[in-house]
Amino acid sequence: MNLVLVPGRDTAARFSSSPLTHQKNHEPELAAFRGSSWASATGIRLVETGRTPFATGSFTWIDDQGREVFVRSAAVLVAGRYHLVIVIGPEARRDQVQARHAHVLATCRPTA
């Protein structure tokens, strides 16, 4: 299982002011999802905490070695920059991936 934290790499001005669009179409960490011949996404939603919008969702795909990958991702937009909280693991450890992502997201809030 891997935890990926990306602090403000992508800008809303360059990619999109919608966290959902950024996550679905531009997030480099989900490129394998977008390029997979078999992939699914569930629980995609936009959430606003105060004035901070973020997209969250679950993504599953078959990697180039035939393994089923499960990812929980959150793209948080703060001061025009996307901060990403991503946990990647095997589908067989879905519950652990979800629990770790929820814990990190609850304890790691980017601020302007």
PDB file of all heavy atoms in Angstrom, residues 28-46:
ATOM      1  N   PRO A  28      -2.325  13.312 -12.663  1.00  0.00           N
ATOM      2  CA  PRO A  28      -1.366  12.361 -13.228  1.00  0.00           C
ATOM      3  C   PRO A  28      -1.357  11.008 -12.511  1.00  0.00           C
ATOM      4  O   PRO A  28      -1.124   9.975 -13.140  1.00  0.00           O
ATOM      5  CB  PRO A  28      -0.013  13.061 -13.062  1.00  0.00           C
ATOM      6  CG  PRO A  28      -0.338  14.507 -12.981  1.00  0.00           C
ATOM      7  CD  PRO A  28      -1.680  14.578 -12.293  1.00  0.00           C
ATOM      8  N   GLU A  29      -1.626  11.007 -11.237  1.00  0.00           N
ATOM      9  CA  GLU A  29      -1.614   9.766 -10.461  1.00  0.00           C
ATOM     10  C   GLU A  29      -2.734   8.808 -10.874  1.00  0.00           C
ATOM     11  O   GLU A  29      -2.689   7.628 -10.538  1.00  0.00           O
ATOM     12  CB  GLU A  29      -1.694  10.078  -8.964  1.00  0.00           C
ATOM     13  CG  GLU A  29      -0.461  10.744  -8.404  1.00  0.00           C
ATOM     14  CD  GLU A  29      -0.293  12.212  -8.787  1.00  0.00           C
ATOM     15  OE1 GLU A  29      -1.246  12.850  -9.281  1.00  0.00           O
ATOM     16  OE2 GLU A  29       0.821  12.727  -8.604  1.00  0.00           O
ATOM     17  N   LEU A  30      -3.720   9.318 -11.602  1.00  0.00           N
ATOM     18  CA  LEU A  30      -4.811   8.472 -12.100  1.00  0.00           C
ATOM     19  C   LEU A  30      -4.698   8.209 -13.602  1.00  0.00           C
ATOM     20  O   LEU A  30      -5.638   7.726 -14.224  1.00  0.00           O
ATOM     21  CB  LEU A  30      -6.170   9.108 -11.773  1.00  0.00           C
ATOM     22  CG  LEU A  30      -6.512   9.177 -10.288  1.00  0.00           C
ATOM     23  CD1 LEU A  30      -7.842   9.901 -10.076  1.00  0.00           C
ATOM     24  CD2 LEU A  30      -6.557   7.784  -9.682  1.00  0.00           C
ATOM     25  N   ALA A  31      -3.542   8.492 -14.192  1.00  0.00           N
ATOM     26  CA  ALA A  31      -3.346   8.262 -15.623  1.00  0.00           C
ATOM     27  C   ALA A  31      -3.541   6.784 -15.978  1.00  0.00           C
ATOM     28  O   ALA A  31      -4.120   6.466 -17.025  1.00  0.00           O
ATOM     29  CB  ALA A  31      -1.962   8.739 -16.060  1.00  0.00           C
ATOM     30  N   ALA A  32      -3.084   5.876 -15.117  1.00  0.00           N
ATOM     31  CA  ALA A  32      -3.256   4.439 -15.390  1.00  0.00           C
ATOM     32  C   ALA A  32      -4.735   4.063 -15.401  1.00  0.00           C
ATOM     33  O   ALA A  32      -5.160   3.215 -16.188  1.00  0.00           O
ATOM     34  CB  ALA A  32      -2.500   3.610 -14.353  1.00  0.00           C
ATOM     35  N   PHE A  33      -5.524   4.708 -14.548  1.00  0.00           N
ATOM     36  CA  PHE A  33      -6.971   4.494 -14.539  1.00  0.00           C
ATOM     37  C   PHE A  33      -7.568   4.920 -15.875  1.00  0.00           C
ATOM     38  O   PHE A  33      -8.324   4.180 -16.505  1.00  0.00           O
ATOM     39  CB  PHE A  33      -7.609   5.280 -13.387  1.00  0.00           C
ATOM     40  CG  PHE A  33      -9.100   5.428 -13.497  1.00  0.00           C
ATOM     41  CD1 PHE A  33      -9.946   4.389 -13.150  1.00  0.00           C
ATOM     42  CD2 PHE A  33      -9.656   6.612 -13.956  1.00  0.00           C
ATOM     43  CE1 PHE A  33     -11.318   4.522 -13.255  1.00  0.00           C
ATOM     44  CE2 PHE A  33     -11.030   6.763 -14.061  1.00  0.00           C
ATOM     45  CZ  PHE A  33     -11.862   5.709 -13.705  1.00  0.00           C
ATOM     46  N   ARG A  34      -7.212   6.113 -16.321  1.00  0.00           N
ATOM     47  CA  ARG A  34      -7.745   6.630 -17.579  1.00  0.00           C
ATOM     48  C   ARG A  34      -7.290   5.801 -18.779  1.00  0.00           C
ATOM     49  O   ARG A  34      -8.005   5.674 -19.760  1.00  0.00           O
ATOM     50  CB  ARG A  34      -7.349   8.098 -17.759  1.00  0.00           C
ATOM     51  CG  ARG A  34      -8.057   9.025 -16.800  1.00  0.00           C
ATOM     52  CD  ARG A  34      -7.805  10.491 -17.127  1.00  0.00           C
ATOM     53  NE  ARG A  34      -6.411  10.876 -16.962  1.00  0.00           N
ATOM     54  CZ  ARG A  34      -5.865  11.242 -15.801  1.00  0.00           C
ATOM     55  NH1 ARG A  34      -6.595  11.268 -14.701  1.00  0.00           N
ATOM     56  NH2 ARG A  34      -4.598  11.591 -15.743  1.00  0.00           N
ATOM     57  N   GLY A  35      -6.104   5.212 -18.706  1.00  0.00           N
ATOM     58  CA  GLY A  35      -5.566   4.456 -19.818  1.00  0.00           C
ATOM     59  C   GLY A  35      -5.868   2.972 -19.804  1.00  0.00           C
ATOM     60  O   GLY A  35      -5.546   2.259 -20.751  1.00  0.00           O
ATOM     61  N   SER A  36      -6.515   2.495 -18.758  1.00  0.00           N
ATOM     62  CA  SER A  36      -6.782   1.067 -18.631  1.00  0.00           C
ATOM     63  C   SER A  36      -7.938   0.628 -19.528  1.00  0.00           C
ATOM     64  O   SER A  36      -8.899   1.365 -19.717  1.00  0.00           O
ATOM     65  CB  SER A  36      -7.127   0.732 -17.177  1.00  0.00           C
ATOM     66  OG  SER A  36      -7.441  -0.631 -17.027  1.00  0.00           O
ATOM     67  N   SER A  37      -7.826  -0.578 -20.045  1.00  0.00           N
ATOM     68  CA  SER A  37      -8.924  -1.117 -20.850  1.00  0.00           C
ATOM     69  C   SER A  37     -10.081  -1.570 -19.966  1.00  0.00           C
ATOM     70  O   SER A  37     -11.196  -1.743 -20.431  1.00  0.00           O
ATOM     71  CB  SER A  37      -8.434  -2.287 -21.712  1.00  0.00           C
ATOM     72  OG  SER A  37      -7.963  -3.332 -20.885  1.00  0.00           O
ATOM     73  N   TRP A  38      -9.816  -1.788 -18.678  1.00  0.00           N
ATOM     74  CA  TRP A  38     -10.873  -2.107 -17.720  1.00  0.00           C
ATOM     75  C   TRP A  38     -10.654  -1.236 -16.493  1.00  0.00           C
ATOM     76  O   TRP A  38      -9.607  -1.290 -15.855  1.00  0.00           O
ATOM     77  CB  TRP A  38     -10.853  -3.574 -17.304  1.00  0.00           C
ATOM     78  CG  TRP A  38     -11.960  -3.864 -16.339  1.00  0.00           C
ATOM     79  CD1 TRP A  38     -13.213  -4.290 -16.654  1.00  0.00           C
ATOM     80  CD2 TRP A  38     -11.946  -3.699 -14.919  1.00  0.00           C
ATOM     81  NE1 TRP A  38     -13.977  -4.404 -15.511  1.00  0.00           N
ATOM     82  CE2 TRP A  38     -13.212  -4.042 -14.423  1.00  0.00           C
ATOM     83  CE3 TRP A  38     -10.984  -3.278 -14.006  1.00  0.00           C
ATOM     84  CZ2 TRP A  38     -13.541  -3.986 -13.082  1.00  0.00           C
ATOM     85  CZ3 TRP A  38     -11.312  -3.222 -12.663  1.00  0.00           C
ATOM     86  CH2 TRP A  38     -12.587  -3.585 -12.219  1.00  0.00           C
ATOM     87  N   ALA A  39     -11.639  -0.409 -16.185  1.00  0.00           N
ATOM     88  CA  ALA A  39     -11.541   0.486 -15.036  1.00  0.00           C
ATOM     89  C   ALA A  39     -12.938   0.825 -14.547  1.00  0.00           C
ATOM     90  O   ALA A  39     -13.903   0.775 -15.306  1.00  0.00           O
ATOM     91  CB  ALA A  39     -10.801   1.764 -15.424  1.00  0.00           C
ATOM     92  N   SER A  40     -13.035   1.160 -13.260  1.00  0.00           N
ATOM     93  CA  SER A  40     -14.309   1.623 -12.718  1.00  0.00           C
ATOM     94  C   SER A  40     -14.034   2.704 -11.684  1.00  0.00           C
ATOM     95  O   SER A  40     -12.959   2.762 -11.088  1.00  0.00           O
ATOM     96  CB  SER A  40     -15.096   0.468 -12.085  1.00  0.00           C
ATOM     97  OG  SER A  40     -14.447   0.001 -10.918  1.00  0.00           O
ATOM     98  N   ALA A  41     -15.024   3.554 -11.507  1.00  0.00           N
ATOM     99  CA  ALA A  41     -14.943   4.627 -10.513  1.00  0.00           C
ATOM    100  C   ALA A  41     -16.258   4.656  -9.750  1.00  0.00           C
ATOM    101  O   ALA A  41     -17.324   4.513 -10.347  1.00  0.00           O
ATOM    102  CB  ALA A  41     -14.697   5.966 -11.191  1.00  0.00           C
ATOM    103  N   THR A  42     -16.165   4.812  -8.443  1.00  0.00           N
ATOM    104  CA  THR A  42     -17.363   4.862  -7.608  1.00  0.00           C
ATOM    105  C   THR A  42     -17.214   5.962  -6.559  1.00  0.00           C
ATOM    106  O   THR A  42     -16.107   6.381  -6.239  1.00  0.00           O
ATOM    107  CB  THR A  42     -17.620   3.522  -6.885  1.00  0.00           C
ATOM    108  OG1 THR A  42     -16.490   3.212  -6.064  1.00  0.00           O
ATOM    109  CG2 THR A  42     -17.856   2.396  -7.864  1.00  0.00           C
ATOM    110  N   GLY A  43     -18.339   6.392  -6.043  1.00  0.00           N
ATOM    111  CA  GLY A  43     -18.342   7.359  -4.947  1.00  0.00           C
ATOM    112  C   GLY A  43     -17.725   8.703  -5.281  1.00  0.00           C
ATOM    113  O   GLY A  43     -17.274   9.411  -4.398  1.00  0.00           O
ATOM    114  N   ILE A  44     -17.726   9.060  -6.552  1.00  0.00           N
ATOM    115  CA  ILE A  44     -17.164  10.344  -6.967  1.00  0.00           C
ATOM    116  C   ILE A  44     -18.106  11.442  -6.488  1.00  0.00           C
ATOM    117  O   ILE A  44     -19.299  11.423  -6.790  1.00  0.00           O
ATOM    118  CB  ILE A  44     -17.016  10.428  -8.498  1.00  0.00           C
ATOM    119  CG1 ILE A  44     -16.262   9.230  -9.044  1.00  0.00           C
ATOM    120  CG2 ILE A  44     -16.389  11.744  -8.907  1.00  0.00           C
ATOM    121  CD1 ILE A  44     -14.863   9.086  -8.570  1.00  0.00           C
ATOM    122  N   ARG A  45     -17.560  12.377  -5.732  1.00  0.00           N
ATOM    123  CA  ARG A  45     -18.431  13.451  -5.257  1.00  0.00           C
ATOM    124  C   ARG A  45     -17.628  14.699  -4.948  1.00  0.00           C
ATOM    125  O   ARG A  45     -16.437  14.640  -4.690  1.00  0.00           O
ATOM    126  CB  ARG A  45     -19.224  13.016  -4.039  1.00  0.00           C
ATOM    127  CG  ARG A  45     -18.416  12.651  -2.848  1.00  0.00           C
ATOM    128  CD  ARG A  45     -19.290  12.002  -1.764  1.00  0.00           C
ATOM    129  NE  ARG A  45     -18.461  11.588  -0.665  1.00  0.00           N
ATOM    130  CZ  ARG A  45     -18.481  12.133   0.532  1.00  0.00           C
ATOM    131  NH1 ARG A  45     -19.320  13.109   0.805  1.00  0.00           N
ATOM    132  NH2 ARG A  45     -17.675  11.707   1.477  1.00  0.00           N
ATOM    133  N   LEU A  46     -18.326  15.820  -5.002  1.00  0.00           N
ATOM    134  CA  LEU A  46     -17.747  17.114  -4.655  1.00  0.00           C
ATOM    135  C   LEU A  46     -18.208  17.460  -3.254  1.00  0.00           C
ATOM    136  O   LEU A  46     -19.403  17.380  -2.950  1.00  0.00           O
ATOM    137  CB  LEU A  46     -18.203  18.188  -5.647  1.00  0.00           C
ATOM    138  CG  LEU A  46     -17.670  19.591  -5.395  1.00  0.00           C
ATOM    139  CD1 LEU A  46     -16.159  19.633  -5.556  1.00  0.00           C
ATOM    140  CD2 LEU A  46     -18.327  20.570  -6.353  1.00  0.00           C
TER     141      LEU A  46
END
